[in-house]
Amino acid sequence: DQQVKQNSPSLSVQEGRISILNCDYTNSMFDYFLWYKKYPAEGPTFLISISSIKDKNEDGRFTVFLNKSAKHLSLHIVPSQPGDSAVYFCAALFPAGYGGSQGNLIFGKGTKLSVKP
Amino acid sequence: EAGVAQSPRYKIIEKRQSVAFWCNPISGHATLYWYQQILGQGPKLLIQFQNNGVVDDSQLPKDRFSAERLKGVDSTLKIQPAKLEDSAVYLCASSPPGLASHEQFFGPGTRLTVL
């Protein structure tokens, strides 16, 4: 059973507009959430993260929002650029010492973002 | 700063054959991870090392998969014998010590095709 879900396999956005990528999780014990970006034939690259004690984290054009009561997080990209076209993975971490390794990133299936010029 | 290195980038083998992948993490990163990414899925952790010790191998199919990190730096992941369902991208990642350890740095991966 998937603990981290990205229900939209793909998203298409016009250049300059906002891209919103969504992620839902089922386990309330997750204490850290990360977004990774992946280009074809490359490994995932860390983009932005958020601790479970926060509800927002911003880094330039990228903002992640966390709604713990809804077990939902989202990544906002404003403005979107053609170079943002990639697969975006949402991932979650358990706290240290909880049921296994603290480094075990639990990934969603990814959302493919296409930004059209 | 050099990134995580992996080789080979691509490998095609027949089922029941053996294969090995190599990973060199970022210098100074004590923690090393191997992930398996099947097409259309997110990466799934196979094994995690802290220096040369195994921290978590609960999802490693130990009847056919093995991994080692003898000197606490490079690591190899082996599959023997391979099955069709092992076709995937094998990603190596490393992370630095301390508070930033939640961020993992990934290599380009090795794409394995089992025929």
Side-chain angles (χ1 to χ4, degrees), chain A residues 2 32 34 36 38 41-46 49 89 93 100-105 107-109, chain B residues 9-10 33 35 37 40-43 45 48 55-56 59 91 101-108:
Chain A
Q2 273 208 295
Y32 226 96
L34 303 90
Y36 279 81
K38 186 181 184 303
E42 295 184 13
T45 302
F46 171 75
S49 64
F89 289 98
L93 272 173
S101 93
Q102 65 185 89
N104 184 359
L105 279 171
F107 282 88
K109 291 186 176 182
Chain B
R9 292 295 311 275
Y10 305 91
Y33 314 80
Y35 286 85
Q37 185 180 10
Q41 305 287 322
L45 181 71
Q48 176 185 351
V55 174
D56 181 4
Q59 299 187 91
L91 294 160
S101 63
H102 60 266
E103 181 181 338
Q104 298 179 20
F105 297 80
F106 285 82

Coordinates of all heavy atoms in Angstrom, one line a residue, chain A residues 2 32 34 36 38 41-46 49 89 93 100-105 107-109, chain B residues 9-10 33 35 37 40-43 45 48 55-56 59 91 101-108:
Chain A
Q2 N 0.6 2.2 -0.9 CA 1.4 3.3 -1.1 C 1.2 4.3 0.1 O 0.1 4.7 0.4 CB 1.1 4.0 -2.4 CG 1.9 3.5 -3.6 CD 2.1 4.6 -4.6 OE1 1.1 5.0 -5.2 NE2 3.3 5.0 -4.8
Y32 N 9.4 14.7 7.8 CA 10.1 15.5 6.9 C 9.6 15.1 5.5 O 9.4 13.9 5.2 CB 11.6 15.3 7.0 CG 12.4 16.6 7.0 CD1 12.8 17.2 8.2 CD2 12.7 17.2 5.8 CE1 13.4 18.4 8.2 CE2 13.4 18.4 5.8 CZ 13.8 19.0 7.0 OH 14.4 20.2 7.1
L34 N 10.2 16.0 1.2 CA 11.1 16.5 0.2 C 10.5 16.4 -1.2 O 9.7 15.5 -1.5 CB 12.4 15.8 0.3 CG 13.2 15.7 1.6 CD1 12.8 14.5 2.4 CD2 14.7 15.6 1.3
Y36 N 11.9 16.2 -5.1 CA 13.0 15.9 -6.0 C 12.5 16.2 -7.5 O 11.4 15.9 -7.8 CB 13.5 14.5 -5.9 CG 14.4 14.3 -4.7 CD1 13.9 14.1 -3.4 CD2 15.8 14.3 -4.9 CE1 14.8 13.9 -2.3 CE2 16.7 14.1 -3.8 CZ 16.1 14.0 -2.5 OH 17.0 13.8 -1.5
K38 N 13.6 15.3 -11.5 CA 14.3 14.3 -12.3 C 14.2 14.6 -13.8 O 13.1 14.5 -14.3 CB 13.9 12.9 -12.0 CG 14.8 11.8 -12.6 CD 14.3 10.4 -12.3 CE 15.2 9.4 -12.9 NZ 15.4 9.5 -14.3
A41 N 17.4 10.3 -17.9 CA 18.8 9.7 -17.9 C 19.6 10.4 -16.8 O 20.9 10.3 -16.8 CB 19.4 9.8 -19.2
E42 N 19.0 11.0 -15.8 CA 19.7 11.6 -14.7 C 19.1 11.1 -13.4 O 18.0 10.7 -13.4 CB 19.7 13.1 -14.7 CG 20.5 13.7 -15.9 CD 20.5 15.3 -15.8 OE1 20.2 15.8 -14.8 OE2 20.8 15.9 -16.8
G43 N 19.9 11.2 -12.3 CA 19.3 10.9 -11.0 C 18.5 12.0 -10.5 O 18.6 13.1 -11.0
P44 N 17.6 11.7 -9.5 CA 16.8 12.8 -8.9 C 17.7 13.8 -8.3 O 18.7 13.5 -7.7 CB 16.0 12.1 -7.9 CG 16.0 10.6 -8.3 CD 17.3 10.4 -9.0
T45 N 17.3 15.1 -8.4 CA 18.0 16.2 -7.7 C 17.1 16.8 -6.7 O 15.9 17.2 -7.0 CB 18.3 17.3 -8.8 OG1 19.1 16.6 -9.8 CG2 19.1 18.4 -8.2
F46 N 17.7 17.1 -5.5 CA 16.9 17.7 -4.4 C 16.5 19.1 -4.8 O 17.2 19.9 -5.4 CB 17.8 17.7 -3.2 CG 17.1 18.5 -2.0 CD1 16.1 18.0 -1.3 CD2 17.6 19.8 -1.7 CE1 15.5 18.8 -0.3 CE2 17.1 20.5 -0.7 CZ 16.0 20.0 0.0
S49 N 12.6 21.2 0.7 CA 12.0 20.3 1.7 C 11.2 21.1 2.8 O 11.3 22.3 2.8 CB 13.2 19.5 2.4 OG 14.0 20.4 3.1
F89 N 9.2 14.3 -8.0 CA 8.9 13.2 -7.0 C 8.7 13.9 -5.6 O 9.5 14.7 -5.2 CB 10.0 12.2 -6.9 CG 10.1 11.3 -8.1 CD1 11.0 11.5 -9.1 CD2 9.2 10.2 -8.2 CE1 11.1 10.7 -10.2 CE2 9.3 9.3 -9.3 CZ 10.3 9.6 -10.3
L93 N 10.1 11.2 5.0 CA 11.0 10.6 5.9 C 10.3 10.4 7.2 O 9.6 11.2 7.7 CB 12.2 11.4 6.1 CG 13.4 11.3 5.1 CD1 14.4 12.4 5.4 CD2 14.0 9.9 5.2
G100 N 12.8 1.4 11.6 CA 13.7 1.2 10.4 C 14.6 2.4 10.3 O 14.7 3.2 11.1
S101 N 15.3 2.5 9.2 CA 16.3 3.5 9.0 C 15.7 4.8 8.9 O 14.6 5.0 8.3 CB 17.2 3.2 7.8 OG 16.7 3.8 6.7
Q102 N 16.4 5.8 9.4 CA 15.9 7.2 9.3 C 16.1 7.7 7.9 O 15.6 8.8 7.6 CB 16.6 8.1 10.4 CG 18.1 8.2 10.1 CD 18.7 9.0 11.2 OE1 19.1 8.4 12.2 NE2 18.8 10.3 11.1
G103 N 16.9 7.0 7.1 CA 17.2 7.6 5.8 C 16.4 7.0 4.7 O 16.6 7.4 3.5
N104 N 15.4 6.2 5.0 CA 14.6 5.5 4.0 C 13.6 6.5 3.5 O 12.5 6.8 4.0 CB 13.9 4.3 4.6 CG 13.1 3.6 3.6 OD1 13.0 3.9 2.4 ND2 12.4 2.5 4.0
L105 N 13.9 7.1 2.3 CA 13.0 8.0 1.6 C 11.9 7.2 1.0 O 12.1 6.3 0.2 CB 13.7 8.8 0.5 CG 14.5 10.0 0.9 CD1 15.3 10.6 -0.2 CD2 13.6 11.1 1.5
F107 N 9.1 7.4 -1.6 CA 8.8 8.2 -2.8 C 7.3 7.9 -3.3 O 6.8 6.8 -3.2 CB 9.7 7.9 -3.9 CG 11.1 8.5 -3.8 CD1 12.1 7.9 -3.1 CD2 11.3 9.7 -4.4 CE1 13.4 8.4 -3.0 CE2 12.6 10.3 -4.3 CZ 13.6 9.7 -3.6
G108 N 6.7 9.0 -3.9 CA 5.6 8.8 -4.7 C 6.0 8.4 -6.1 O 7.2 8.2 -6.4
K109 N 5.0 8.2 -7.0 CA 5.3 7.7 -8.3 C 5.8 8.8 -9.3 O 6.2 8.5 -10.4 CB 4.1 7.0 -8.9 CG 3.7 5.7 -8.3 CD 2.5 5.0 -9.0 CE 2.2 3.7 -8.4 NZ 1.2 3.0 -9.1
Chain B
R9 N 26.5 2.7 -16.9 CA 25.3 3.5 -17.0 C 24.2 2.6 -17.5 O 23.0 2.8 -17.2 CB 25.5 4.7 -18.0 CG 26.4 5.8 -17.4 CD 25.8 6.5 -16.2 NE 24.4 6.9 -16.4 CZ 24.1 8.0 -16.9 NH1 25.0 8.9 -17.4 NH2 22.8 8.3 -17.1
Y10 N 24.5 1.6 -18.4 CA 23.6 0.7 -19.0 C 24.1 -0.7 -18.9 O 25.3 -0.9 -19.1 CB 23.2 1.1 -20.4 CG 22.8 2.5 -20.6 CD1 23.7 3.6 -20.8 CD2 21.4 2.9 -20.4 CE1 23.2 4.9 -20.9 CE2 21.0 4.2 -20.5 CZ 21.9 5.2 -20.8 OH 21.5 6.5 -20.9
Y33 N 23.2 4.9 0.0 CA 22.0 4.2 -0.2 C 22.0 3.6 -1.6 O 22.5 4.2 -2.6 CB 20.8 5.2 -0.1 CG 20.8 6.1 1.0 CD1 21.5 7.3 1.0 CD2 20.0 5.9 2.2 CE1 21.5 8.2 2.1 CE2 19.9 6.8 3.2 CZ 20.7 7.9 3.2 OH 20.7 8.8 4.2
Y35 N 18.9 2.4 -4.3 CA 17.5 2.4 -4.6 C 17.3 1.6 -5.9 O 18.1 1.7 -6.8 CB 17.0 3.8 -4.7 CG 16.8 4.6 -3.5 CD1 17.9 5.3 -2.9 CD2 15.6 4.7 -2.8 CE1 17.8 6.1 -1.8 CE2 15.5 5.4 -1.6 CZ 16.6 6.1 -1.1 OH 16.4 6.9 0.0
Q37 N 14.5 1.7 -9.0 CA 13.4 2.4 -9.6 C 12.9 1.6 -10.8 O 13.5 1.6 -11.8 CB 13.7 3.8 -10.0 CG 12.5 4.6 -10.4 CD 12.8 6.0 -10.8 OE1 14.0 6.4 -10.9 NE2 11.8 6.8 -11.0
G40 N 7.9 3.8 -14.1 CA 6.6 4.3 -13.7 C 6.4 4.3 -12.2 O 5.3 4.7 -11.7
Q41 N 7.4 4.0 -11.5 CA 7.4 4.0 -10.0 C 8.4 5.0 -9.4 O 9.3 5.4 -10.1 CB 7.7 2.6 -9.4 CG 6.8 1.5 -9.9 CD 5.4 1.6 -9.4 OE1 5.2 1.9 -8.2 NE2 4.4 1.3 -10.2
G42 N 8.3 5.3 -8.2 CA 9.3 6.1 -7.5 C 10.4 5.1 -7.0 O 10.2 3.9 -6.9
P43 N 11.6 5.7 -6.7 CA 12.6 4.8 -6.2 C 12.2 4.2 -4.9 O 11.5 4.7 -4.1 CB 13.8 5.8 -6.0 CG 13.5 7.0 -6.9 CD 12.0 7.1 -6.9
L45 N 14.0 2.1 -1.6 CA 15.3 1.8 -0.9 C 15.5 0.3 -0.8 O 14.6 -0.5 -0.4 CB 15.3 2.3 0.5 CG 16.6 2.1 1.3 CD1 17.7 3.0 0.8 CD2 16.4 2.4 2.8
Q48 N 20.8 0.6 3.1 CA 21.5 1.8 3.5 C 22.7 1.4 4.4 O 22.6 0.5 5.2 CB 20.5 2.6 4.4 CG 21.2 3.9 5.0 CD 20.3 4.6 5.9 OE1 19.1 4.3 6.0 NE2 20.8 5.6 6.7
V55 N 22.8 -0.3 7.8 CA 21.8 0.2 8.7 C 20.5 -0.4 8.5 O 19.7 -0.7 9.4 CB 21.7 1.8 8.5 CG1 20.6 2.4 9.4 CG2 23.1 2.4 8.9
D56 N 20.1 -0.6 7.2 CA 18.8 -1.1 6.9 C 18.9 -1.9 5.6 O 19.3 -1.3 4.6 CB 17.8 0.0 6.8 CG 16.4 -0.4 6.5 OD1 16.1 -1.7 6.4 OD2 15.5 0.4 6.3
Q59 N 14.5 -4.3 2.8 CA 13.8 -4.5 1.6 C 14.7 -5.1 0.5 O 14.4 -5.1 -0.7 CB 13.2 -3.1 1.1 CG 12.2 -2.6 2.1 CD 11.5 -1.4 1.6 OE1 10.5 -1.4 0.9 NE2 12.1 -0.2 1.9
L91 N 19.7 3.2 -8.5 CA 20.3 4.5 -8.1 C 21.1 4.4 -6.8 O 20.6 3.8 -5.9 CB 19.1 5.5 -7.9 CG 18.3 5.9 -9.1 CD1 16.9 6.4 -8.7 CD2 19.0 6.9 -10.0
S101 N 21.4 15.6 6.9 CA 21.4 14.3 6.3 C 20.1 13.9 5.7 O 20.0 12.8 5.1 CB 21.8 13.3 7.4 OG 20.9 13.3 8.5
H102 N 19.0 14.7 5.9 CA 17.8 14.3 5.3 C 17.8 14.5 3.8 O 17.0 14.0 3.0 CB 16.6 15.1 5.9 CG 16.8 16.6 5.7 ND1 17.3 17.4 6.6 CD2 16.4 17.4 4.6 CE1 17.3 18.6 6.2 NE2 16.8 18.6 5.0
E103 N 18.8 15.3 3.3 CA 18.9 15.5 1.9 C 19.9 14.5 1.3 O 21.0 14.3 1.8 CB 19.5 16.9 1.6 CG 19.6 17.2 0.1 CD 20.2 18.6 -0.1 OE1 20.1 19.4 0.8 OE2 20.8 18.8 -1.2
Q104 N 19.4 13.7 0.3 CA 20.2 12.7 -0.3 C 20.6 13.1 -1.8 O 19.8 13.7 -2.5 CB 19.5 11.4 -0.4 CG 19.2 10.9 1.0 CD 18.4 9.6 1.1 OE1 18.4 8.8 0.1 NE2 17.8 9.3 2.2
F105 N 21.8 12.9 -2.1 CA 22.3 13.3 -3.4 C 22.4 12.0 -4.3 O 23.1 11.0 -3.9 CB 23.7 13.9 -3.3 CG 23.7 15.2 -2.5 CD1 23.6 15.2 -1.1 CD2 23.7 16.4 -3.2 CE1 23.6 16.4 -0.4 CE2 23.7 17.6 -2.5 CZ 23.6 17.6 -1.1
F106 N 21.8 12.0 -5.4 CA 21.7 10.8 -6.2 C 22.7 10.8 -7.4 O 23.0 11.9 -8.0 CB 20.3 10.7 -6.8 CG 19.3 10.2 -5.8 CD1 18.7 11.1 -5.0 CD2 18.9 8.9 -5.8 CE1 17.7 10.7 -4.0 CE2 18.0 8.4 -4.9 CZ 17.4 9.3 -4.0
G107 N 23.2 9.7 -7.8 CA 23.9 9.5 -9.0 C 23.0 9.3 -10.2 O 21.8 9.3 -10.0
P108 N 23.6 9.2 -11.4 CA 22.8 9.1 -12.6 C 22.0 7.8 -12.8 O 21.1 7.7 -13.5 CB 23.8 9.3 -13.7 CG 25.1 8.8 -13.1 CD 25.0 9.2 -11.7

